[in-house]
mmCIF file of all heavy atoms in Angstrom:
data_model
loop_
_atom_site.group_PDB
_atom_site.id
_atom_site.type_symbol
_atom_site.label_atom_id
_atom_site.label_comp_id
_atom_site.label_asym_id
_atom_site.label_seq_id
_atom_site.Cartn_x
_atom_site.Cartn_y
_atom_site.Cartn_z
ATOM 1 N N VAL A 19 135.234 25.100 69.181
ATOM 2 C CA VAL A 19 134.417 25.306 70.368
ATOM 3 C C VAL A 19 133.938 23.936 70.843
ATOM 4 O O VAL A 19 133.660 23.056 70.030
ATOM 5 C CB VAL A 19 133.231 26.267 70.067
ATOM 6 C CG1 VAL A 19 132.286 25.681 69.026
ATOM 7 C CG2 VAL A 19 132.484 26.646 71.316
ATOM 8 N N GLY A 20 133.876 23.751 72.155
ATOM 9 C CA GLY A 20 133.329 22.520 72.706
ATOM 10 C C GLY A 20 131.812 22.613 72.791
ATOM 11 O O GLY A 20 131.267 23.709 72.897
ATOM 12 N N VAL A 21 131.133 21.472 72.769
ATOM 13 C CA VAL A 21 129.669 21.502 72.815
ATOM 14 C C VAL A 21 129.157 22.167 74.090
ATOM 15 O O VAL A 21 128.108 22.808 74.077
ATOM 16 C CB VAL A 21 129.041 20.095 72.638
ATOM 17 C CG1 VAL A 21 129.319 19.550 71.256
ATOM 18 C CG2 VAL A 21 129.491 19.140 73.700
ATOM 19 N N GLY A 22 129.908 22.059 75.175
ATOM 20 C CA GLY A 22 129.488 22.678 76.423
ATOM 21 C C GLY A 22 129.551 24.198 76.409
ATOM 22 O O GLY A 22 128.940 24.858 77.243
ATOM 23 N N GLU A 23 130.289 24.749 75.453
ATOM 24 C CA GLU A 23 130.420 26.211 75.354
ATOM 25 C C GLU A 23 129.346 26.841 74.481
ATOM 26 O O GLU A 23 129.196 28.066 74.476
ATOM 27 C CB GLU A 23 131.799 26.568 74.766
ATOM 28 C CG GLU A 23 132.975 26.070 75.597
ATOM 29 C CD GLU A 23 134.286 26.227 74.838
ATOM 30 O OE1 GLU A 23 134.705 27.374 74.624
ATOM 31 O OE2 GLU A 23 134.861 25.188 74.439
ATOM 32 N N LEU A 24 128.618 26.026 73.721
ATOM 33 C CA LEU A 24 127.585 26.573 72.834
ATOM 34 C C LEU A 24 126.391 27.050 73.649
ATOM 35 O O LEU A 24 125.981 26.401 74.598
ATOM 36 C CB LEU A 24 127.140 25.508 71.826
ATOM 37 C CG LEU A 24 128.186 25.107 70.782
ATOM 38 C CD1 LEU A 24 127.713 23.877 70.025
ATOM 39 C CD2 LEU A 24 128.454 26.252 69.830
ATOM 40 N N LYS A 25 125.815 28.168 73.213
ATOM 41 C CA LYS A 25 124.618 28.707 73.858
ATOM 42 C C LYS A 25 123.396 28.362 72.997
ATOM 43 O O LYS A 25 123.519 28.069 71.821
ATOM 44 C CB LYS A 25 124.753 30.217 74.037
ATOM 45 C CG LYS A 25 125.875 30.597 75.010
ATOM 46 C CD LYS A 25 125.962 32.081 75.213
ATOM 47 C CE LYS A 25 127.032 32.823 74.446
ATOM 48 N NZ LYS A 25 128.154 32.094 73.894
ATOM 49 N N ALA A 26 122.234 28.415 73.600
ATOM 50 C CA ALA A 26 121.000 28.004 72.924
ATOM 51 C C ALA A 26 120.749 28.780 71.635
ATOM 52 O O ALA A 26 120.195 28.235 70.685
ATOM 53 C CB ALA A 26 119.814 28.152 73.872
ATOM 54 N N ASP A 27 121.151 30.055 71.578
ATOM 55 C CA ASP A 27 120.855 30.869 70.400
ATOM 56 C C ASP A 27 122.021 30.923 69.408
ATOM 57 O O ASP A 27 121.976 31.677 68.442
ATOM 58 C CB ASP A 27 120.439 32.277 70.823
ATOM 59 C CG ASP A 27 121.517 32.991 71.630
ATOM 60 O OD1 ASP A 27 122.502 32.345 72.052
ATOM 61 O OD2 ASP A 27 121.373 34.212 71.832
ATOM 62 N N ASP A 28 123.067 30.117 69.614
ATOM 63 C CA ASP A 28 124.191 30.100 68.676
ATOM 64 C C ASP A 28 123.755 29.513 67.340
ATOM 65 O O ASP A 28 122.969 28.570 67.283
ATOM 66 C CB ASP A 28 125.363 29.283 69.240
ATOM 67 C CG ASP A 28 126.143 30.041 70.305
ATOM 68 O OD1 ASP A 28 125.965 31.272 70.421
ATOM 69 O OD2 ASP A 28 126.926 29.403 71.018
ATOM 70 N N PHE A 29 124.300 30.056 66.254
ATOM 71 C CA PHE A 29 123.984 29.589 64.903
ATOM 72 C C PHE A 29 124.804 28.334 64.607
ATOM 73 O O PHE A 29 126.020 28.326 64.753
ATOM 74 C CB PHE A 29 124.304 30.684 63.885
ATOM 75 C CG PHE A 29 123.941 30.313 62.480
ATOM 76 C CD1 PHE A 29 122.645 30.479 62.030
ATOM 77 C CD2 PHE A 29 124.893 29.794 61.622
ATOM 78 C CE1 PHE A 29 122.297 30.125 60.735
ATOM 79 C CE2 PHE A 29 124.560 29.434 60.321
ATOM 80 C CZ PHE A 29 123.262 29.604 59.878
ATOM 81 N N LEU A 30 124.115 27.271 64.197
ATOM 82 C CA LEU A 30 124.774 25.993 63.896
ATOM 83 C C LEU A 30 124.568 25.612 62.440
ATOM 84 O O LEU A 30 123.456 25.696 61.922
ATOM 85 C CB LEU A 30 124.197 24.886 64.782
ATOM 86 C CG LEU A 30 124.776 24.814 66.193
ATOM 87 C CD1 LEU A 30 123.830 24.090 67.119
ATOM 88 C CD2 LEU A 30 126.127 24.130 66.182
ATOM 89 N N ILE A 44 120.463 18.660 65.486
ATOM 90 C CA ILE A 44 120.150 19.679 66.489
ATOM 91 C C ILE A 44 119.014 20.540 65.939
ATOM 92 O O ILE A 44 119.112 21.075 64.832
ATOM 93 C CB ILE A 44 121.388 20.544 66.786
ATOM 94 C CG1 ILE A 44 122.520 19.662 67.315
ATOM 95 C CG2 ILE A 44 121.044 21.658 67.777
ATOM 96 C CD1 ILE A 44 123.883 20.335 67.308
ATOM 97 N N GLU A 45 117.960 20.654 66.716
ATOM 98 C CA GLU A 45 116.816 21.458 66.288
ATOM 99 C C GLU A 45 117.266 22.889 66.032
ATOM 100 O O GLU A 45 117.990 23.477 66.818
ATOM 101 C CB GLU A 45 115.730 21.426 67.370
ATOM 102 C CG GLU A 45 114.397 21.918 66.875
ATOM 103 C CD GLU A 45 113.253 21.584 67.818
ATOM 104 O OE1 GLU A 45 113.490 21.041 68.910
ATOM 105 O OE2 GLU A 45 112.119 21.878 67.443
ATOM 106 N N GLY A 46 116.854 23.434 64.887
ATOM 107 C CA GLY A 46 117.189 24.812 64.551
ATOM 108 C C GLY A 46 118.473 24.977 63.768
ATOM 109 O O GLY A 46 118.773 26.072 63.298
ATOM 110 N N ALA A 47 119.240 23.898 63.606
ATOM 111 C CA ALA A 47 120.483 23.995 62.837
ATOM 112 C C ALA A 47 120.161 24.123 61.344
ATOM 113 O O ALA A 47 119.134 23.640 60.879
ATOM 114 C CB ALA A 47 121.352 22.761 63.074
ATOM 115 N N LEU A 48 121.055 24.775 60.607
ATOM 116 C CA LEU A 48 120.949 24.846 59.150
ATOM 117 C C LEU A 48 121.677 23.632 58.590
ATOM 118 O O LEU A 48 122.806 23.359 58.988
ATOM 119 C CB LEU A 48 121.592 26.134 58.628
ATOM 120 C CG LEU A 48 121.672 26.273 57.099
ATOM 121 C CD1 LEU A 48 120.267 26.376 56.497
ATOM 122 C CD2 LEU A 48 122.499 27.492 56.720
ATOM 123 N N THR A 71 128.841 34.269 64.768
ATOM 124 C CA THR A 71 129.728 33.161 64.470
ATOM 125 C C THR A 71 128.943 31.999 63.891
ATOM 126 O O THR A 71 127.836 31.714 64.340
ATOM 127 C CB THR A 71 130.434 32.703 65.772
ATOM 128 O OG1 THR A 71 131.185 33.801 66.283
ATOM 129 C CG2 THR A 71 131.354 31.521 65.531
ATOM 130 N N ASN A 73 128.887 28.171 63.800
ATOM 131 C CA ASN A 73 129.407 26.979 64.468
ATOM 132 C C ASN A 73 129.145 25.796 63.556
ATOM 133 O O ASN A 73 127.987 25.456 63.298
ATOM 134 C CB ASN A 73 128.712 26.786 65.817
ATOM 135 C CG ASN A 73 128.978 27.940 66.752
ATOM 136 O OD1 ASN A 73 130.032 28.022 67.348
ATOM 137 N ND2 ASN A 73 128.022 28.845 66.873
ATOM 138 N N TRP A 106 128.041 16.037 71.076
ATOM 139 C CA TRP A 106 126.759 16.649 71.426
ATOM 140 C C TRP A 106 125.852 15.622 72.108
ATOM 141 O O TRP A 106 125.307 15.855 73.181
ATOM 142 C CB TRP A 106 126.108 17.202 70.157
ATOM 143 C CG TRP A 106 124.766 17.835 70.345
ATOM 144 C CD1 TRP A 106 123.558 17.198 70.326
ATOM 145 C CD2 TRP A 106 124.494 19.219 70.588
ATOM 146 N NE1 TRP A 106 122.549 18.108 70.527
ATOM 147 C CE2 TRP A 106 123.090 19.351 70.685
ATOM 148 C CE3 TRP A 106 125.286 20.363 70.708
ATOM 149 C CZ2 TRP A 106 122.476 20.577 70.908
ATOM 150 C CZ3 TRP A 106 124.667 21.580 70.933
ATOM 151 C CH2 TRP A 106 123.283 21.687 71.033
ATOM 152 N N LYS A 111 122.786 16.332 75.150
ATOM 153 C CA LYS A 111 122.017 17.410 74.514
ATOM 154 C C LYS A 111 121.002 16.796 73.549
ATOM 155 O O LYS A 111 121.216 15.711 73.018
ATOM 156 C CB LYS A 111 122.966 18.371 73.803
ATOM 157 C CG LYS A 111 123.876 19.103 74.793
ATOM 158 C CD LYS A 111 124.703 20.147 74.103
ATOM 159 C CE LYS A 111 125.513 20.945 75.095
ATOM 160 N NZ LYS A 111 124.741 22.023 75.712
ATOM 161 N N PRO A 112 119.884 17.492 73.312
ATOM 162 C CA PRO A 112 118.804 16.906 72.515
ATOM 163 C C PRO A 112 119.143 16.736 71.039
ATOM 164 O O PRO A 112 119.763 17.592 70.421
ATOM 165 C CB PRO A 112 117.653 17.896 72.708
ATOM 166 C CG PRO A 112 118.292 19.181 73.112
ATOM 167 C CD PRO A 112 119.549 18.810 73.838
#
Side-chain angles (χ1 to χ4, degrees):
V19 63
V21 294
E23 300 169 68
L24 292 169
K25 294 182 260 341
D27 59 349
D28 283 346
F29 183 83
L30 278 159
I44 300 165
E45 195 166 5
L48 174 66
T71 300
N73 298 281
W106 179 273
K111 295 186 175 277

